[in-house]
């Protein structure tokens, strides 16, 4: 079996470890975390807190905040191994040159409190050396059905899009929940609407799926809504997105 | 069987007619549309284009753009019948007083090109007279499992929230598709991410499901992303939503 090290145990590392535990081809050898508080009670024996004690592995996966990737890659106590990071934005080049570089970017939103089906996650791979690609690909294919070769340039564009279609979408859900809480409306009344909004774009181009007062240029409704929104920030978001929908509607 | 008239045949009217066709308790009697081009080839015999020829029905449903509701309700050639509209914003009072007023608001996003399960749609009801509520409720329950008594005030708040969680969310999908098209990335690579973003909030409060560079206050990534976005409108949306996520993160 091939061995894997994990450096960092945030939302991505947590789900990656759970997925690796189920693999028959790869074994999770050690997990490095800075703090002893991050130890997972499911497999505490795997955790170490001194990076200089990390043993050699076939693949070391650095899954930490972007600004810590370079320094941690420099501190690894071995050379000429395959070392990859999981960031959507950080360049592959930013890894220390003492090891062979690569990227293992899962295009998904991870929260420790939410289980997910790892096998459906698109895994976006890149390696410095062609020979390492097949090793990284064998790991990816052991964990997921959706594996892609993606350059650093493409990955950064993927990440920008992911922010729009995931992080910003979730923030709109947060705003929606806040408004409905203020008005004693149970938020689950919106679940069929939200589910259908997403179901639609699987079969219809989003541009063609657009409904609501903005695309109809129904200014009477738009103005009534603006009077209802008390939070200035949310009012500005309403205005900006409404104008953007109206402008987009005129493009076609 | 009780009889139903439909005034208007837009996205809502279209799906409402299809659902009514399956009912054993209610029969769709006539559909009024201004234009002869709106006739549905599935049941062309139901359509009329002179509103003065609309026969009396147990319930007449006006499903047109808000600014046409009042005038059409005035032009109806009968009195003292139950007449409801399907708008999220228009007040019940705005209907002509010559008939008994009500609201039948389906909280859903409708496009003619996309089939949907009508039985899951939350139907939000209101009637001027208490006695009419049970009649309207019997229609609603024949079409959907999710029926709610909702006041005009509550309905307007529902509608504002629906704009955030549906119309604006769909616009973010439109932006995401535009960016990925520009970079030759097939948009379906984002489907597992989008599906998971929605799946998460069924079990996790949206505020707790937030991930991405904004909630981490990862300004290096945020600035890289802003450099990548060429459309000024989308750049402003990125900035405003990012700041809103950061501010929200500090609230708790």
């Amino acid at each position: 079996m091939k061995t894997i090290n994990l450096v960092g145990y945030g939302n991505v590392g947590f789900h990656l470890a759970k997925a690796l535990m189920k693999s028959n081809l790869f074994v999770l050898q050690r997990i490095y975390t800075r703090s002893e508080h991050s130890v997972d009670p499911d497999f505490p024996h795997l955790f170490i807190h001194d990076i200089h004690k990390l043993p050699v592995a076939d693949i070391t996966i650095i899954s930490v905040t972007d600004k810590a990737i370079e320094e941690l890659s420099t501190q690894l106590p071995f050379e000429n191994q395959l070392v990859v990071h999981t960031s959507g934005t950080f360049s592959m080049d930013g890894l220390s040159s003492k090891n062979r570089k690569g990227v293992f970017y899962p295009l998904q939103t991870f929260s420790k409190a939410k289980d997910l089906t790892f096998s459906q996650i698109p895994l976006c791979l890149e390696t410095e050396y062609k020979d390492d690609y097949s090793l990284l690909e064998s790991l990816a294919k052991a964990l997921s059905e959706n594996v892609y070769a993606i350059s650093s340039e493409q990955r950064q564009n993927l990440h920008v899009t992911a922010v729009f279609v995931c992080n910003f979408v979730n923030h709109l859900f947060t705003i929606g929940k806040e408004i409905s809480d203020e008005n004693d409306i149970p938020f689950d009344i919106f679940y069929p609407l939200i589910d259908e909004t997403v179901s639609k774009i699987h079969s219809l181009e989003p541009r063609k799926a657009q409904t609501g007062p903005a695309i109809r240029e129904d200014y009477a409704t738009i103005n009534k809504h603006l009077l209802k929104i008390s939070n200035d920030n949310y009012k500005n978001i309403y205005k900006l997105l409404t104008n953007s929908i109206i402008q987009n509607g005129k493009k076609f």
Side-chain angles (χ1 to χ4, degrees), chain A residues 173-243:
Chain A
F173 294 153
T174 306
I175 295 173
K177 176 139 192 337
E178 211 173 302
I179 297 174
S180 56
D181 282 355
E182 278 167 16
N183 294 286
D184 293 320
I185 297 164
F187 190 61
D188 55 10
I189 197 173
F190 297 101
Y191 289 171
L193 175 65
I194 291 170
D195 292 345
E196 175 64 15
T197 303
V198 166
S199 167
K200 267 173 119 170
I201 62 150
H202 284 257
S203 61
L204 215 58
E205 232 184 295
R207 183 171 69 72
K208 293 184 179 160
Q210 189 65 52
T211 58
I215 194 72
R216 291 196 309 268
E217 298 192 49
D218 174 352
Y219 294 102
T221 298
I222 291 166
N223 289 329
K224 277 188 203 169
H225 284 180
L226 285 170
L227 289 173
K228 291 238 152 236
I229 304 169
S230 49
N231 180 313
D232 280 342
N233 226 353
Y234 300 166
K235 204 179 280 219
N236 286 334
I237 290 172
Y238 188 102
K239 283 183 195 166
L240 192 58
L241 286 168
T242 291
N243 287 334

Side-chain angles (χ1 to χ4, degrees), chain A residues 160-175:
Chain A
V160 174
T161 303
V163 168
F164 278 95
V165 303
C166 165
N167 304 151
F168 290 167
V169 162
N170 185 72
H171 187 56
L172 294 178
F173 294 153
T174 306
I175 295 173

Side-chain angles (χ1 to χ4, degrees), chain A residues 2 26 59 82 100 104 125-142 147 149:
Chain A
K2 302 273 186 191
F26 293 86
I59 307 175
L82 180 56
R100 287 146 29 221
F104 184 92
L125 312 185
E126 184 182 9
T127 53
E128 184 183 12
Y129 299 104
K130 216 175 164 184
D131 285 354
D132 282 327
Y133 190 84
S134 57
L135 172 59
L136 195 59
E137 189 184 41
S138 66
L139 169 64
K141 288 193 166 169
V147 178

Side-chain angles (χ1 to χ4, degrees), chain A residues 90-109:
Chain A
F90 198 78
S91 77
M92 183 170 70
D93 290 345
L95 289 163
S96 159
S97 294
K98 71 179 183 180
N99 282 294
R100 287 146 29 221
K101 305 173 186 185
V103 178
F104 184 92
Y105 170 54
L107 181 59
Q108 189 49 284
T109 168

Side-chain angles (χ1 to χ4, degrees), chain A residues 49-66:
Chain A
H49 310 290
D50 179 354
I51 196 152
H52 301 103
K53 293 190 179 152
L54 202 64
V56 166
D58 292 296
I59 307 175
T60 294
I61 303 173
I62 302 182
S63 183
V64 297
T65 180
D66 282 11

